[in-house]
Amino acid sequence: MSPSVVHHFLLLAVALVAFAATLLPPAGAEDTVLGHKCGMPAAGNASSDAYRSNLNALAAILVAGARANGSAVGAVGAPPDAAYGVALCRGDFAGDACARGLGDALRSAVNDSESAFGCGRQVRDVTLFYDRYQLRLSGVDFLSGDGSTPKWAGNNTNFVAPADAAQRFDGLVKELVTTIAAIAAGRPDRYATGRSRFEEQRLTLYGLVQCTVDMPPERCRACLDGLISAFPATFPSGQHGGRILVPRCTVRYETDDTFFNTANLSVDLHKPKRSKFSKINCSTLDLYAWILSTSLQREHIPQFTSNSNFLAWLLQKAGQWRELVDRCLLGNEEYHFTMERYVHVALLCVQESAEDRPAMDEVVKMLSSGEGTVLPEPKQPAYFNVRPVGTEMSASCDMSISITLSR
C-alpha cells in the first residue's frame, strides 16, 4: 500500500472517530430545519466515494472547531472532490450543545440518501439553517467570498400600527441592530446582543447579531451591514420581529426575550437618551474602561499617584500605551488593538474639560469601532485620586481597587 493511500486512510479513520464522538442524543424537536438551499451537481470526472469521504473528514473538523469557538471553517481534499464548509452556532448555544446540534445536522447533510431536503446525494452544495446553528457544505471553494449567499429570512407575524408608529419602530430596530453590529465586529467572538424600548406601545425590543469568528472586523461588519440594509425590502414596516441568515453571519430582532439568553446583554439602549447630564454619565464608564485597559499598573509606573492619568496621557501620546497594560493582557496580540482602543477612549473620558468628554452613546460607538475608525486625540486629562487595596501589584492578575472621584 502506497504512503499516500495510507495517509488518506489514516485521515479518514481519525475523522470518522472524531465525528462518531458527536453521536449524542438528538438536539431536540425545536431544532428542525428552518430552511435549506442546494445546488451544483457533481462534475463528470468526480468520484462520489471520494467526495463523501472528504465530507466526513470535514464534518469532524467543523464539529471540533465549533465546539471550541462557536464556529468553524475548513477544507479537505483536492479538486474535483474537495469539500469546503462553514458552521456557526448561536453565541448562547456553545460547547457540547453546539457540537451535538451540528453533528446531527452534518450527518443529515452528508447522508441525505433519501433526499430529505430535496437535494439528493449527487448535489455538492448544501446549506442548512436551524434556529441555533447553521452550516454550508460545498464542492467549490466559497470560503474566500463575502458569505452573503445563500440567504434565508423569517419574520414575526405581528405588526406595530398605525403607519407613523411603525416607521418610528423601524428606526428603533435599525438603531439597535446597527449598534450591536458595531460591537460584534470588534469582539473576538463576533457575537453581540442588545435591548431597546419602544415606549409608545410598551414594547421591549431585543437584537442579536453574529459572524463566524475567523472573519476580520471589517469583513464581519460588512456582512452584517449587508443584512441590515436588506431589512426594508425583506420585512414590512412595523414587523415585531425578523431575521436574516447567511452562512457567515446572522441578524435577528424580536419583541420578546425567549429566543436567546438575555442574561449578558452587550448593550442596553433602554436608557435615557443624551441629556445635560450625559457628560457626568461618562464618569462611570471612564473608570470601567480605565480599570479594564490598565488592569494592574506595570511595576515601574508610580502606584496610582494623583497624576497617574496625566502620566498615562503622556505615555499614550508617545505611542507607549503598552506600558499601561498589565502583562497578563499583552500575551495575545489579537487583543492589542482592543486594549489600545480602551486606553484611548479612557483618556478621552478623563479630559480636563467636561465639554470635551464623550457622552455614553459616543463611548459605546468608539469602543466597538473597527480599526478603520479614527478617534480624536485626547486632550490633557483632569486629576482623580486612586487608592490601591492589596499588595504585590505586579505579581498577580487579580486585585481590587477603590476609587474616589473629585470633579
Side-chain angles (χ1 to χ4, degrees):
M1 187 178 291
S2 68
S4 61
V5 173
V6 172
H7 175 75
H8 180 76
F9 177 79
L10 290 175
L11 175 64
L12 177 59
V14 170
L16 290 175
V17 170
F19 191 38
T22 68
L23 294 176
L24 301 174
E30 75 172 271
D31 292 312
T32 55
V33 66
L34 298 173
H36 69 276
K37 306 287 184 179
C38 50
M40 199 191 82
N45 62 336
S47 166
S48 59
D49 290 339
Y51 181 63
R52 192 161 302 280
S53 172
N54 290 334
L55 278 181
N56 278 295
L58 175 61
I61 293 171
L62 296 179
V63 168
R67 174 187 276 116
N69 302 306
S71 66
V73 297
V76 175
D81 299 307
Y84 306 87
V86 60
L88 173 63
C89 283
R90 203 172 66 197
D92 62 342
F93 187 66
D96 289 340
C98 166
R100 181 172 64 247
L102 279 177
D104 291 344
L106 284 162
R107 279 189 297 276
S108 298
V110 172
N111 302 303
D112 189 18
S113 57
E114 298 180 359
S115 299
F117 307 112
C119 297
R121 297 188 62 157
Q122 300 304 314
V123 169
R124 293 200 172 187
D125 196 310
V126 178
T127 304
L128 302 179
F129 296 108
Y130 293 79
D131 185 50
R132 298 181 293 183
Y133 45 88
Q134 57 199 57
L135 62 95
R136 181 182 179 186
L137 303 174
S138 182
V140 295
D141 185 2
F142 66 91
L143 300 178
S144 59
D146 61 9
S148 62
T149 56
K151 181 185 298 183
W152 181 89
N155 58 272
N156 191 304
T157 57
N158 296 317
F159 292 88
V160 169
D164 58 341
Q167 290 180 352
R168 290 189 292 273
F169 179 78
D170 294 343
L172 190 68
V173 169
K174 183 176 181 180
E175 177 190 32
L176 176 60
V177 294
T178 300
T179 298
I180 58 177
I183 295 173
R187 289 180 48 160
D189 61 359
R190 302 291 186 261
Y191 172 72
T193 58
R195 175 173 61 187
S196 190
R197 179 75 173 173
F198 190 54
E199 290 289 0
E200 64 184 271
Q201 296 196 9
R202 298 182 178 180
L203 293 173
T204 300
L205 180 66
Y206 295 88
L208 180 155
V209 300
Q210 187 173 8
C211 299
T212 55
V213 296
D214 66 299
M215 298 182 80
E218 62 278 4
R219 188 176 170 195
C220 172
R221 184 65 191 272
C223 187
L224 294 173
D225 284 349
L227 300 190
I228 295 170
S229 67
F231 273 23
T234 307
F235 308 122
S237 179
Q239 196 142 43
H240 277 203
R243 55 178 151 173
I244 303 180
L245 314 177
V246 296
R248 288 284 202 168
C249 68
T250 68
V251 178
R252 184 176 182 181
Y253 73 94
E254 299 286 350
T255 52
D256 68 77
D257 61 355
T258 60
F259 77 94
F260 76 102
N261 186 347
T262 60
N264 297 296
L265 295 172
S266 307
V267 66
D268 189 352
L269 300 182
H270 181 202
K271 293 179 178 180
K273 298 295 182 179
R274 182 178 180 136
S275 69
K276 64 180 181 180
F277 299 108
S278 61
K279 296 298 179 180
I280 299 175
N281 289 340
C282 191
S283 300
T284 301
L285 189 56
D286 66 6
L287 295 177
Y288 169 80
W290 181 262
I291 294 168
L292 181 60
S293 62
T294 60
S295 185
L296 300 178
Q297 301 297 302
R298 303 296 287 271
E299 57 268 23
H300 61 278
I301 295 179
Q303 294 189 7
F304 294 106
T305 60
S306 62
N307 66 340
S308 60
N309 51 344
F310 184 74
L311 175 60
W313 178 65
L314 293 176
L315 288 171
Q316 192 267 350
K317 282 177 65 68
Q320 300 177 35
W321 64 269
R322 291 175 180 81
E323 299 300 324
L324 297 165
V325 182
D326 184 74
R327 64 173 64 90
C328 302
L329 300 176
L330 289 173
N332 190 339
E333 291 189 3
E334 180 182 354
Y335 301 114
H336 281 196
F337 169 77
T338 301
M339 290 297 100
E340 182 180 12
R341 179 57 54 95
Y342 283 165
V343 171
H344 195 129
V345 175
L347 288 170
L348 288 174
C349 280
V350 295
Q351 294 176 102
E352 180 73 39
S353 172
E355 290 303 313
D356 292 329
R357 300 171 201 161
M360 286 289 287
D361 55 346
E362 296 170 327
V363 169
V364 170
K365 291 178 181 178
M366 287 189 288
L367 288 176
S368 60
S369 60
E371 296 187 30
T373 302
V374 179
L375 301 184
E377 284 301 313
K379 298 179 182 178
Q380 180 173 320
Y383 295 114
F384 59 81
N385 298 317
V386 181
R387 175 175 58 84
V389 177
T391 58
E392 301 296 329
M393 293 182 62
S394 62
S396 170
C397 289
D398 296 304
M399 71 177 292
S400 60
I401 302 173
S402 64
I403 299 174
T404 302
L405 275 179
S406 59
R407 286 293 185 195

